[in-house]
Amino acid sequence: MAETTIKEPAAKKPANPHIENAKNIFKRLKKNKAAMAGGILILFFILVAVIGPYFVPYTAAEQNVLNKLQGPSAEHWFGTDQLGRDIFSRIVHGMSITLYIGFFSVFIAAIFGVIIGIVAGYYGGKIDTILMRLMDVLLAFPGILLALAVVTILGASLNNVILAVAVFSVPAFARIVRGSTLAVKELEYIDAVRALGAGDSRIIFRHILPNVFSPIIVQATLRIATAILTAAGLSFLGLGAQPPKPEWGAMLSDGRNYIFEAGHVALFPGLAIVIVVLAFNIFGDGLRDALDPKMKS
């Protein structure tokens, strides 16, 4: 009689903890309808910034003085400005400038802020004191005032606005990362890794940085909204992107001269700024709740 062999079921491959953690974060994020709406709007804005200029009926600088200060119509959805330029087309073209300022300035600030925060928190002592006192000096100035001073010194241009916004955003990242680093470096497994002979660079990049990444992401998302507002404010004062670039703050500044005669010239750029900033703030708040360690299972 032939013996029958029973095959044991293959052992399941252990799930990647990083993938599982990401899934759990996304599940929590999906429960926040406002945050999901903000995230969808952000994706829509990015899409508009990338492909929108190819589909609008007019270029950003195309003028028709005979049609100046016309109200919204089927031909010009948002009306025209004082030079007869289509406001809807200019807002779409300006989307890429706005997001470029927001993302790139925050990216620069995050790099320097993370380096300063980790170095100060990990090494402590005089290094911590010197770096944090420098950050305190920067924090003593209102953000818009510090950015205004930087742009005034360097000159009015788009790149200088990005640099100015990055400068006043660095302390926010540095303080958050320093606080998280101080908490993580006191954990027992850090002492165990150090006892096994790991150097400072390995401990920082392999063990501390991944554990402080969540607050960095949240701060970056919220900081983009602040960067967009600050850049718009500088452009409103004539210190940001220079004509004929369709920057929303500059468009808002031009529209204030016609606010009673043709209110739409200032209304639509202002609404664009409000909606984009609101989307980043709502999404950032929801992301902060989703990444809250207290809510992790």
Side-chain angles (χ1 to χ4, degrees):
M1 185 175 179
E3 294 184 359
T4 57
T5 57
I6 301 175
K7 292 184 178 180
E8 294 183 0
K12 287 185 177 181
K13 188 178 180 180
N16 189 317
H18 298 292
I19 296 177
E20 291 299 317
N21 187 39
K23 288 180 179 179
N24 292 331
I25 292 172
F26 185 68
K27 286 179 181 178
R28 289 194 293 270
L29 189 61
K30 282 200 303 183
K31 295 178 181 178
N32 191 329
K33 303 301 181 184
M36 289 300 295
I40 292 172
L41 277 176
I42 291 172
L43 292 177
F44 173 72
F45 296 148
I46 294 173
L47 184 65
V48 169
V50 174
I51 68 172
Y54 298 102
F55 293 94
V56 291
Y58 304 95
T59 63
E62 187 174 346
Q63 302 180 14
N64 186 351
V65 182
L66 297 177
N67 292 331
K68 67 177 182 178
L69 300 179
Q70 285 189 355
S73 63
E75 184 178 0
H76 302 284
W77 291 359
F78 291 174
T80 59
D81 64 7
Q82 71 278 8
L83 296 178
R85 296 172 296 191
D86 183 66
I87 294 177
F88 174 75
S89 298
R90 286 177 61 77
I91 287 178
V92 172
H93 281 278
M95 182 75 74
S96 58
I97 297 175
T98 298
L99 295 183
Y100 171 71
I101 293 173
F103 282 108
F104 200 59
S105 62
V106 170
F107 177 73
I108 295 174
I111 290 177
F112 286 96
V114 169
I115 292 173
I116 293 172
I118 284 186
V119 170
Y122 183 79
Y123 290 103
K126 292 183 178 180
I127 295 177
D128 182 24
T129 301
I130 294 172
L131 291 177
M132 286 302 103
R133 294 302 75 78
L134 178 61
M135 296 299 101
D136 289 340
V137 170
L138 294 179
L139 284 172
F141 295 92
I144 185 67
L145 183 60
L146 182 59
L148 186 62
V150 173
V151 173
T152 302
I153 294 171
L154 298 178
S157 71
L158 183 62
N159 290 332
N160 288 343
V161 167
I162 292 174
L163 182 60
V165 174
V167 167
F168 91 82
S169 298
V170 167
F173 285 98
R175 291 177 70 90
I176 288 176
V177 173
R178 174 184 177 271
S180 300
T181 302
L182 287 174
V184 173
K185 79 170 188 176
E186 298 299 329
L187 298 177
E188 292 182 358
Y189 84 93
I190 297 295
D191 293 332
V193 171
R194 187 180 290 110
L196 291 173
D200 290 344
S201 59
R202 180 179 179 84
I203 293 174
I204 289 173
F205 289 105
R206 292 291 301 272
H207 301 285
I208 292 181
L209 186 58
N211 283 285
V212 302
F213 204 64
S214 294
I216 294 173
I217 295 175
V218 174
Q219 179 64 21
T221 306
L222 295 172
R223 207 68 191 178
I224 289 173
T226 304
I228 291 173
L229 270 180
T230 305
L234 293 174
S235 295
F236 184 86
L237 297 174
L239 296 174
Q242 299 301 299
K245 290 183 179 179
E247 206 282 327
W248 294 348
M251 293 172 64
L252 189 61
S253 179
D254 292 337
R256 65 177 171 168
N257 299 320
Y258 308 93
I259 196 165
F260 296 108
E261 180 183 355
H264 65 276
V265 180
L267 174 64
F268 290 109
L271 282 177
I273 295 171
V274 170
I275 293 173
V276 171
V277 170
L278 184 63
F280 276 102
N281 278 330
I282 292 175
F283 181 70
D285 286 338
L287 193 60
R288 178 173 53 196
D289 294 340
L291 292 171
D292 189 350
K294 296 178 181 177
M295 299 179 64
K296 293 182 180 180
S297 59

